Amino acid sequence: MKFGCHISIKNGYLGAAKRAVASGASAFQYFPKNPRSLSVKDFDQEDAESCKSFCEEHGLISVAHTPYPTSLTPTEDKRELTIFSLLNDLEIANTCGSVGVVVHFGSQISKTDPLASYHLMLDMLNSVLRQWDGDCLVLLENNAGTKGALGTTFEELVQVRNLCEYPEKIGFCLDTCHAFASGLWNGENAEELFAKGQELGYWEELKIIHLNNSKYPTGSKKDRHANIFGLGHINEEQFETFIPSTLLKEIPFILETPDDEGISHKEEIEMLKQKWG
C-alpha cells in the first residue's frame, strides 16, 4: 500500500519529492503554487521535469491540489481567473508527472434553483477541459457537507463526470474526513459504501484518497481533520473496515492531518505502514 502526506514546495517541486522519500512516503501531495492565490505562476520547467524523473526513479506518486480560492462554482467576476488558474495548475502538475489536480466539488449558488450549481460546474469543467490535452486529470473531491451540502454523495460525483463533455479527463479523490462529516461513511457502513461505489462505477475512477480522521462526529458537516491514531472520532476498528479493502489496494493514501499536534507525518506514515502496509 502507498502512504504519503501533503508536502510544501518551498524547496521546489524536486525538493518536495525528495522530502517525501525522506519521510518514508511512497506518495505525496503539493500545492503547485501559492495556496492563497488564483494568480498564474510562471513555474520552473526544469525543476518540474526533474521532479517527474525523480518520482519515476523512486516509484513515487504525486498529486497536486488547487489553491484554496479555487471553486467550480465561482462568482462571475472570478470565472475567467479560475479557469486560467486551473489550467495553470494542470500544466504544472502534468510537467511534474502528477496523476491529477484535486479540486473541491462546487457549492450551492442559488436558494431557488437547486440545479444552478451543477450547471455552472459543468460549464466550468467543459471550459477548462476543452483547452486541456495533457495526461493530468481533474480530480473531483467529495465535500464535508458545508456550504449547501453539495458533493457529498457518489451519485453527484459520478453524474457530474458522466455529464461532462470530457469524462475521460476527470477522476475522483475521496476524503475520509469529509465522507465521515457528511455522513456518507459513518464508520459502520463500509460494506454498503463499497457496494454503492461499485454499482455506480466510482471506484474505477478513484485516483487518490485523502486519509484524515475527524475532530467532530459523523454527520457534523464540519471539515476539521485529526490525526489517524486515537485523536479523532474515527477509531482504528472503523478504519480497519475501510483501508485494507481490495478495492483500494492500488490507491495512494495521502495524509492531510495536523503535523504539529504531537505526531509528525513521518511518524504517522510509519505507523500506517506497520498497521496496514
Side-chain angles (χ1 to χ4, degrees):
M1 298 185 72
K2 291 185 178 291
F3 294 109
C5 60
H6 188 99
I7 291 180
S8 168
I9 60 163
K10 64 180 179 181
N11 295 316
Y13 304 115
L14 176 58
K18 288 181 175 179
R19 185 179 167 196
V21 170
S23 298
S26 48
F28 73 100
Q29 178 178 272
Y30 63 97
F31 286 119
K33 58 194 179 194
N34 183 345
R36 292 176 176 79
S37 172
L38 289 175
S39 60
V40 171
K41 180 178 181 178
D42 184 13
F43 67 102
D44 187 331
Q45 188 99 11
E46 185 177 348
D47 180 37
E49 290 172 354
S50 295
C51 173
K52 179 179 180 179
S53 297
F54 182 88
C55 289
E56 289 174 347
E57 180 183 347
H58 290 82
L60 190 63
I61 295 176
S62 70
V63 63
H65 196 299
T66 56
Y68 297 122
T70 307
S71 171
L72 290 175
T73 50
T75 54
E76 185 59 35
D77 61 315
K78 294 285 180 64
R79 186 182 185 280
E80 290 302 314
L81 186 61
T82 301
I83 290 172
F84 289 137
S85 177
L86 186 47
L87 283 167
N88 183 225
D89 296 336
L90 284 164
E91 183 184 4
I92 294 170
N94 198 64
T95 308
C96 286
S98 302
V99 64
V101 175
V102 177
V103 59
H104 292 159
F105 202 88
S107 302
Q108 189 64 263
I109 62 171
S110 171
K111 293 182 178 179
T112 57
D113 182 1
L115 296 180
S117 298
Y118 300 109
H119 290 156
L120 178 54
M121 280 188 66
L122 287 166
D123 179 64
M124 287 289 294
L125 286 167
N126 288 334
S127 296
V128 169
L129 297 177
R130 188 177 296 124
Q131 302 174 64
W132 177 244
D133 59 2
D135 295 327
C136 194
L137 302 173
V138 167
L139 302 179
L140 297 177
E141 180 178 358
N142 60 306
N143 282 342
T146 56
K147 298 182 180 179
L150 295 186
T152 61
T153 68
F154 286 162
E155 286 86 350
E156 291 172 274
L157 291 152
V158 170
Q159 186 72 333
V160 165
R161 181 181 183 275
N162 289 344
L163 291 175
C164 181
E165 293 173 7
Y166 310 93
E168 72 281 0
K169 299 180 183 182
I170 297 174
F172 301 124
C173 167
L174 178 67
D175 188 301
T176 55
C177 172
H178 296 181
F180 192 74
S182 69
L184 173 65
W185 175 47
N186 61 22
E188 308 297 333
N189 65 337
E191 199 171 306
E192 176 186 329
L193 188 76
F194 289 132
K196 174 60 71 174
Q198 283 184 290
E199 175 190 334
L200 296 170
Y202 174 85
W203 304 115
E204 290 90 332
E205 309 304 332
L206 181 68
K207 306 302 179 184
I208 296 290
I209 292 173
H210 285 167
L211 184 59
N212 301 307
N213 210 322
S214 175
K215 290 189 175 181
Y216 290 93
T218 185
S220 65
K221 298 184 179 180
K222 294 183 178 181
D223 181 13
R224 291 292 305 280
H225 299 181
N227 294 100
I228 301 303
F229 296 98
L231 298 172
H233 282 266
I234 308 173
N235 61 46
E236 284 188 45
E237 290 74 22
Q238 291 169 327
F239 275 124
E240 181 69 41
T241 68
F242 179 81
I243 293 175
S245 170
T246 55
L247 287 170
L248 310 178
K249 64 181 180 180
E250 302 297 330
I251 310 298
F253 289 80
I254 305 288
L255 294 168
E256 293 179 318
T257 53
D259 196 30
D260 57 355
E261 295 186 6
I263 183 172
S264 68
H265 281 151
K266 184 175 182 178
E267 292 170 321
E268 202 163 12
I269 289 170
E270 184 56 35
M271 292 172 71
L272 287 167
K273 288 159 72 173
Q274 288 178 8
K275 179 77 175 176
W276 289 296

